[in-house]
């Protein structure tokens, strides 16, 4: 009898019981069969010893799905939090994730509300050079008899589904599912459908194979069968799916293995099912397996020979305008501007008002809002980040709009402030000439920023009054694109240049 047939029989018998026992979170939709299938399709054919210092960078594509009319999508804010959590959870494994070419905003009710029924549509939306994560409303797998699950890895389509609710709650669901993506099994492998129950299995597990499954060994404490039993990893002790029915991050039940040794599961393991723990981790054995899967033949599409910007961002943005609590005269043209944050190459800006929410990701440190209401109170939040570091601190401010309409031609600043760079492109080792016309405004600072958002040159006031001429010596800079940015008055003027 095949494994599949046995699972069907077991599930029919125990469905009611499992439903009754189910707690609330961390139920994943990856079955025993799915785990075997992922190992068949993406075999671990690389065997390098684990070295966490040798960090591997994994491009990740987040697909923020919504209904076809665009409603229901998760806010970008939670996705940045999720990437921060992933990189924290995988730090000790020497695996770091980075955003591959921005987020994908996908409007498709089918994928959003019932992804398991639309595998072929999902596959069409994948980024071929990234680990694809679809953030959906539901994550009910067709193979699951338990009902709605929190997420799953599809070996068939090689992508991960995670419910948006999990990101909002800040759970470790995605860390767990990506563990499956990189060929990790559950620590309790074999017990997925029949979690340990004292009334059924007794205090001492006297059988050799997982309940109802003839070819999966029950792991024992003395490690004598750890390489062949359960998850086949020796630094994760036995677990008979104790977590599924546990109501806290604790395990006090006395259960003994066939050698009469007390079973002590690893409660906080990422690939277990215990809920409510304050943190979860991977063992070195699991880390080694995941990294070898990343280095395997089936994962060559993820190894794109690119080192992302992962620079730590220490500072919250300093807002230039509007000032906290102020009223902006206009309502149809409100410019929010802030100082460049060291290390940041992007900013998430969120605007909240009564019945109003707007968000955008920008690369320049300013945004002009044209869709606000008259005489209304708004809150703006600015969060700096780069493709690999999103654990950054936001800055919030409140402001009011006035009743005036914006008249573009009255903008004296835009008429008078001018920046000219020559020559552009400039040859490495020679000087870039900068002419800055600031008629009547005061130059506050000038900076050169590289393509990853890093400030490589910076000068601040006092400057001489009037128009300015500068020279940027390019001999210490590498070839590539740069931005020259000046703060004039309370606003920013910038120009791009390249060194060849
Ligand atoms: Zn799982």
């Amino acid at each position: 009898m095949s494994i599949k047939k046995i699972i069907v029989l077991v599930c029919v018998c125990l469905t009611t019981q499992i439903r009754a026992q189910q707690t609330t979170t961390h139920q994943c939709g990856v079955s025993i069969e799915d785990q075997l299938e992922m190992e068949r399709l993406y075999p671990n054919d690389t065997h390098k010893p684990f070295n966490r210092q040798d960090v591997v960078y994994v491009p990740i594509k987040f697909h923020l799905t919504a209904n076809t009319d665009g409603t229901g999508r998760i806010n970008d804010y939670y996705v940045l939090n999720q990437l921060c959590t992933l990189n924290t959870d995988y730090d000790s494994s020497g695996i770091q994730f980075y955003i591959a070419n921005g987020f994908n905003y996908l409007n498709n009710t089918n994928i959003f509300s019932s992804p398991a029924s639309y595998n072929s549509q999902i596959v069409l939306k994948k980024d071929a050079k990234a680990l694809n994560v679809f953030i959906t409303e539901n994550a009910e797998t067709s193979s699951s008899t338990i009902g709605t699950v929190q997420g799953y890895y599809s070996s068939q389509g090689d992508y991960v589904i995670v419910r948006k609710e999990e990101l909002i709650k800040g759970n470790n669901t995605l860390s767990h599912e990506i563990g499956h993506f990189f060929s990790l099994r559950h620590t309790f492998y074999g017990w997925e459908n029949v979690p340990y129950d004292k009334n059924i299995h007794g205090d001492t597990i006297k059988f050799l194979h997982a309940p109802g499954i003839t070819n999966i060994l029950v792991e024992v404490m003395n490690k004598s069968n750890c390489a062949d039993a359960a998850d086949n990893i020796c630094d994760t002790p036995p677990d008979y799916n104790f977590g599924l029915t546990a109501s806290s991050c604790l395990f006090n039940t006395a259960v003994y293995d066939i050698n009469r040794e007390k079973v002590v599961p690893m409660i906080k393991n990422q690939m277990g099912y215990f809920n409510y723990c304050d943190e979860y981790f991977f063992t070195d054995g699991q880390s080694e397996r995941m990294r070898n899967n990343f280095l395997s033949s089936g994962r060559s599409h993820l190894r794109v020979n690119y080192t992302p910007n992962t620079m730590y961002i220490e500072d919250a943005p300093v807002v230039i305008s509007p000032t906290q609590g102020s009223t902006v005269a206009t309502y149809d043209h409100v410019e929010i501007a802030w100082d460049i944050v060291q290390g940041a190459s992007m900013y998430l800006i969120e605007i909240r008002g009564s019945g109003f929410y707007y968000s955008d990701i920008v690369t320049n440190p300013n945004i002009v809002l044209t869709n606000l209401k008259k005489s209304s109170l708004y809150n703006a939040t600015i969060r700096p980040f780069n493709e690999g570091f999103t654990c950054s601190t936001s800055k919030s401010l409140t402001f009011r709009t006035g009743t005036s309409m914006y008249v573009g031609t009255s903008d004296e600043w835009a008429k008078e402030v001018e920046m000219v760079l020559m020559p552009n492109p400039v040859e490495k080792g020679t000087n870039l000439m900068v002419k800055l016309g600031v008629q009547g405004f005061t130059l506050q600072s000038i900076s050169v920023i590289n393509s990853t958002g890093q400030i490589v040159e910076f000068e601040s006031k006092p400057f001489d009054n009037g128009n300015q001429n500068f020279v940027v010596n390019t001999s210490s800079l590498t070839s590539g694109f740069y931005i020259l940015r000046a703060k004039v008055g309370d606003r920013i003027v910038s120009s791009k240049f390249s060194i060849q």
Side-chain angles (χ1 to χ4, degrees), residues 18 20 160 202 214 228 250 319:
I18 290 171
V160 171
T214 52
D228 303 308
L250 283 172
V319 177

Side-chain angles (χ1 to χ4, degrees), residues 104-135:
N104 182 30
Y105 302 96
L106 176 59
N107 297 346
N108 181 319
T109 302
N110 293 341
I111 296 173
F112 182 62
S113 56
S114 45
S117 305
Y118 295 96
N119 174 62
S120 56
Q121 289 189 17
I122 296 171
V123 168
L124 287 175
K125 302 295 180 189
K126 281 174 57 182
D127 181 331
K129 297 276 186 192
L131 189 172
N132 288 273
V133 174
F134 291 82
I135 304 164

Side-chain angles (χ1 to χ4, degrees), residues 28-30 176-177 180 186 271 273:
C28 120
V30 179
H176 173 107
E177 300 307 334
H180 285 311
H186 291 133
M271 299 314 289
Y273 260 5

Side-chain angles (χ1 to χ4, degrees), residues 35-54:
Q35 292 169 81
L36 279 183
E37 184 67 359
M38 84 206 174
E39 289 167 20
R40 188 183 72 77
L41 291 170
Y42 301 95
N44 287 322
D45 51 14
T46 304
H47 300 284
K48 268 194 165 182
F50 175 47
N51 173 10
R52 72 166 55 87
Q53 267 73 45
D54 178 20

Side-chain angles (χ1 to χ4, degrees), residues 176-458:
H176 173 107
E177 300 307 334
I178 289 178
H180 285 311
F181 177 93
F182 284 128
S183 81
L184 291 190
R185 294 178 182 179
H186 291 133
T187 49
F188 53 83
Y189 185 67
W191 297 77
E192 275 80 350
N193 300 304
V194 189
Y196 171 79
D197 184 330
K198 188 177 172 178
N199 297 324
I200 299 170
H201 307 114
D203 292 336
T204 304
I205 304 299
K206 292 175 181 158
F207 40 87
L208 291 174
H209 297 98
I213 302 173
T214 52
N215 59 353
I216 302 176
L217 290 170
V218 172
E219 190 173 3
V220 293
M221 282 299 289
N222 68 13
K223 298 198 176 188
S224 57
N225 67 357
C226 63
D228 303 308
D231 61 3
N232 298 357
I233 294 175
C234 282
D235 61 3
T236 59
D239 183 338
Y240 306 150
N241 202 353
F242 301 120
L244 185 71
T245 53
S247 55
S248 68
C249 181
L250 283 172
F251 183 68
N252 296 321
T253 314
V255 183
Y256 299 88
D257 68 15
I258 201 163
N259 306 315
R260 309 244 168 221
E261 211 175 323
K262 190 174 178 186
V263 176
V264 183
M266 190 177 270
I267 293 171
K268 294 187 177 182
N269 192 283
Q270 289 280 12
M271 299 314 289
Y273 260 5
F274 279 92
N275 297 312
Y276 317 111
C277 300
D278 53 356
E279 59 176 358
Y280 295 88
F281 61 88
F282 294 107
T283 64
D284 285 359
Q286 289 174 316
S287 298
E288 180 171 292
R289 178 158 302 189
M290 288 194 286
R291 290 167 55 101
N292 277 323
N293 187 263
F294 174 77
L295 296 170
S296 70
S297 56
R299 296 291 181 210
S300 59
H301 63 289
L302 297 179
R303 301 192 298 272
V304 293
N305 194 23
Y306 170 70
T307 306
N309 177 11
T310 57
M311 195 175 165
Y312 184 85
I313 300 171
E314 203 169 336
D315 303 320
V318 174
V319 177
I320 301 169
S321 69
T323 52
Q324 165 61 28
S326 65
T327 298
V328 182
T330 55
Y331 67 92
D332 59 342
H333 181 104
V334 174
E335 183 179 16
I336 298 176
W338 55 94
D339 272 339
I340 297 153
V341 177
Q342 176 116 17
S345 55
M346 289 172 274
Y347 303 89
L348 170 67
I349 176 138
E350 295 179 285
I351 312 292
R352 291 181 175 83
S354 174
F356 179 87
Y357 176 79
Y358 172 81
S359 82
D360 199 1
I361 290 173
V362 297
T363 51
N364 281 322
N366 66 304
I367 187 170
V368 175
L369 303 162
T370 57
N371 53 350
L372 304 184
K373 282 191 221 157
K374 280 181 193 172
S375 307
S376 300
L377 186 67
Y378 289 95
N379 177 273
T381 305
I382 304 151
R383 178 168 175 176
F385 66 100
N386 57 47
E387 57 195 347
F389 185 85
T390 57
C391 305
S392 37
T393 310
S394 304
K395 174 73 184 178
S396 284
L397 79 145
T398 54
F399 64 92
R400 279 194 157 275
T401 50
T403 54
S404 304
M405 285 187 75
Y406 176 68
V407 184
T409 52
S410 72
D411 190 346
E412 291 299 320
W413 187 93
K415 276 196 290 189
E416 303 294 349
V417 175
E418 174 183 49
M419 182 189 277
V420 179
L421 307 182
M422 293 182 304
N424 188 8
V426 58
E427 199 178 322
K428 183 173 161 58
T430 63
N431 287 339
L432 176 78
M433 312 297 291
V434 181
K435 284 179 183 290
L436 190 60
V438 295
Q439 302 287 352
F441 295 91
T442 310
L443 176 64
Q444 311 274 356
S445 67
I446 187 155
S447 47
V448 176
I449 297 135
N450 68 15
S451 58
T452 61
Q454 204 173 348
I455 299 169
V456 292
E457 301 275 347
F458 181 80

